[in-house]
Amino acid sequence: MTADDLETVMARALARRIDYADLYFEYEVSEGVSLEEGLVKTASRDITQGVGVRALAGDRTGFAYANDISIPQIEIAAQTARSIAADAGGAGDVLPQRVGGPSRDLYPVDHSVLDAPLPARIDLLQEIDRLARAYDPRIQHVMAGISCESKVVLVVTSDGRMVGDVRPLARLNVTCIAQEGGNRQVGSFGGGGRVGFDFFFDQDRWRRFTREAARRAIVNLSARPAPAGTMTVVLGSGWPGILLHEAVGHGLEADFNRKRVSAFSDLLGQRVASELCTIVDDGTIPWRRGSLNVDDEGTPTGRTVLIENGILKGYLQDRLNARLMKMPLTGNGRRESFAHAPMPRMTNTFMLAGHSTPDEIIASVPYGLYAVAFGGGQVDITSGKFVFSASEAYLIEQGRVTHPVKGATLIGNGPDVLKRVSMVGNDLELDAGVGTCGKDGQSVPVGVGLPTIRIDGLTVGGTQG
């Protein structure tokens, strides 16, 4: 298939009553291998390919896809997409022209994890198993896995762009189960990004991942029931940024705000957070899991300031919503695969560092909760209400971190919580590279980050009154 073929298909099949159209080609090779109790539990290799066709007319979206990348199948998909969207009317003919590709490479990987022989990956997982068990005799079960993929995409648009990208992605996960008597506790850790196999075969890195998973499991063996009530909560740096992602980031995606179903709708230029809070979404950080050279609509990703010193500055935009809201593109049009239509999604979302040290923040709390890792959570975009479970947390008493607690949940409202941030640390840290975001049935890799922050008057659900 040539570039001329693509232009012909685009011009012929999406010709009338369509404001905008694009073709999204994808070829992906993915592999996964996991070890459990020292034995290979699963090993897989998948190859998928296809093309998604989208047509926009007004606020109406037509979308269809084909697994067979051939001119006849693309034409059928294109006509289907046009039929769905065209009833709303449009701006006339579209005539694509060739333009260039991305001018940067945020993930120049020489050797993909896919290039590492399977026996080498299994050997690494067995080393992880041995190291975890050696950490403490109470580590009874170990699970570890490496997943990796290489995705090649090409976006062809009716406004004359043709942009390609080659995207590596890899992740290592370690889970340990510690047991003491009848008490069993789990600890997990991992990391990755758009990296090559050298990333995982670095001994310092995989040893750190393993020890951290084992340490969390052992710490939780001695955890006491968490207190319940309204109290000061300190969030540790790094992965606790997932609360920011869920409770605030989704509420700043353009589709929710265009439809006025977000807690942040119509609040541009207004104060929505403490003046200590500046929150950005940045898809341009090299090697990061949430970074992209271009988004899934072919728009270069960028660094978008969402909230600056507590004032709401902008939303995360894809092409459809930016056009309808008459706002600039931000490079946040993302999709899970060629079989899914793009929508506004986060990339790497985090709060900028403040001036307090983590020790100063802890010392300022007479009694409260120090949450350093989270498991699952739920958020209602419309109201901003959220519930999150802490997987590692400690009690703070008289300005000191004392003993670990278990069963703690954080309950609140995103915009309200941002206004209760009273201290921001100078220790901004991004997560290790494990985040996956779900929205409308689609999953995409993302990054989160946070400095240590103090939140006053947050509701903690626990089992101890």
Side-chain angles (χ1 to χ4, degrees):
M1 185 180 300
T2 67
D4 290 338
D5 291 333
L6 298 178
E7 293 178 358
T8 300
V9 169
M10 180 74 79
R12 182 189 308 159
L14 304 176
R16 288 180 290 278
R17 297 195 298 173
I18 297 298
D19 294 330
Y20 174 84
D22 57 26
L23 308 176
Y24 176 85
F25 294 87
E26 179 182 278
Y27 176 82
E28 177 183 345
V29 180
S30 60
E31 289 187 1
V33 57
S34 66
L35 202 75
E36 187 172 332
E37 304 309 306
L39 301 174
V40 174
K41 182 72 172 179
T42 63
S44 63
R45 177 182 174 88
D46 296 299
I47 298 176
T48 58
Q49 65 176 19
V51 55
V53 184
R54 181 178 61 157
L56 303 180
D59 63 354
R60 197 179 180 98
T61 298
F63 179 77
Y65 69 92
N67 301 90
D68 180 1
I69 301 179
S70 64
I71 293 296
Q73 291 301 315
I74 296 173
E75 286 188 340
I76 292 172
Q79 289 166 4
T80 302
R82 185 185 64 181
S83 301
I84 296 171
D87 287 348
D93 294 351
V94 289
L95 295 173
Q97 302 172 6
R98 255 175 284 178
V99 185
S103 58
R104 63 186 179 196
D105 188 356
L106 298 173
Y107 23 86
V109 172
D110 292 330
H111 301 288
S112 165
V113 178
L114 292 167
D115 296 335
L118 182 60
R121 279 177 267 171
I122 294 173
D123 288 345
L124 174 59
L125 294 177
Q126 288 176 332
E127 284 293 319
I128 289 172
D129 182 276
R130 285 190 283 270
L131 181 64
R133 294 176 190 277
Y135 182 86
D136 191 294
R138 290 173 291 178
I139 298 295
Q140 298 291 307
H141 305 280
V142 179
M143 292 151 281
I146 296 174
S147 59
C148 52
E149 67 181 46
S150 178
K151 182 182 291 188
V152 181
V153 305
L154 177 68
V155 182
V156 182
T157 72
S158 60
D159 58 5
R161 292 171 297 120
M162 184 183 296
V163 184
D165 197 14
V166 179
R167 301 169 176 174
L169 188 68
R171 171 173 161 171
L172 168 64
N173 289 326
V174 183
T175 297
C176 297
I177 299 176
Q179 183 167 351
E180 188 170 39
N183 184 12
R184 288 164 61 94
Q185 298 295 332
V186 178
S188 297
F189 198 78
R194 300 194 181 279
V195 297
F197 68 68
D198 290 344
F199 181 88
F200 294 114
F201 287 82
D202 179 289
Q203 286 205 9
D204 290 342
R205 180 169 288 110
W206 66 258
R207 285 175 179 271
R208 180 171 67 84
F209 288 2
T210 306
R211 291 191 183 107
E212 184 62 14
R215 184 195 65 79
R216 290 183 176 187
I218 295 298
V219 164
N220 284 331
L221 282 179
S222 59
R224 305 174 185 176
T230 301
M231 64 187 74
T232 299
V233 174
V234 175
L235 301 183
S237 61
W239 179 245
I242 188 64
L243 187 146
L244 189 74
H245 170 103
E246 297 289 359
V248 180
H250 278 300
L252 296 175
E253 291 167 341
D255 48 353
F256 296 128
N257 287 279
R258 178 175 65 82
K259 299 171 184 173
R260 291 186 169 84
V261 295
S262 166
F264 294 97
S265 299
D266 300 321
L267 294 181
L268 276 177
Q270 298 185 35
R271 179 166 297 284
V272 296
S274 156
E275 64 180 8
L276 299 174
C277 296
T278 295
I279 299 169
V280 303
D281 183 89
D282 191 345
T284 69
I285 307 172
W287 316 107
R288 292 293 306 176
R289 182 172 170 83
S291 295
L292 293 169
N293 290 316
V294 293
D295 70 5
D296 295 324
E297 297 178 315
T299 305
T301 54
R303 180 184 174 93
T304 303
V305 178
L306 300 170
I307 295 173
E308 185 173 34
N309 299 324
I311 305 299
L312 181 59
K313 292 293 185 179
Y315 300 124
L316 298 172
Q317 298 284 355
D318 66 343
R319 186 164 292 274
L320 170 65
N321 290 282
R323 177 168 57 85
L324 296 174
M325 297 176 78
K326 296 181 171 46
M327 290 183 175
L329 288 167
T330 59
N332 289 92
R334 304 190 63 187
R335 63 178 105 198
E336 179 175 318
S337 76
F338 68 89
H340 301 81
M343 65 178 84
R345 306 294 295 270
M346 286 172 270
T347 57
N348 305 296
T349 311
F350 49 92
M351 180 183 293
L352 299 190
H355 301 292
S356 303
T357 68
D359 288 344
E360 288 172 342
I361 295 174
I362 296 293
S364 72
V365 180
Y367 181 82
L369 188 77
Y370 178 39
V372 297
F374 286 96
Q378 294 180 324
V379 63
D380 182 334
I381 300 300
T382 303
S383 65
K385 293 180 179 178
F386 64 80
V387 178
F388 272 89
S389 300
S391 58
E392 183 181 0
Y394 301 84
L395 201 63
I396 303 174
E397 297 173 290
Q398 302 302 321
R400 294 176 55 249
V401 176
T402 54
H403 55 79
V405 295
K406 59 185 176 183
T409 57
L410 303 187
I411 304 165
N413 174 287
D416 178 61
V417 164
L418 285 181
K419 292 174 183 173
R420 295 175 180 272
V421 174
S422 58
M423 297 180 78
V424 177
N426 59 4
D427 58 337
L428 170 62
E429 181 181 342
L430 301 182
D431 75 290
V434 296
T436 297
C437 172
K439 177 181 176 183
D440 289 349
Q442 294 193 40
S443 298
V444 297
V446 296
V448 300
L450 195 71
T452 299
I453 63 172
R454 168 177 161 157
I455 305 171
D456 297 331
L458 188 60
T459 301
V460 176
T463 56
Q464 187 180 60

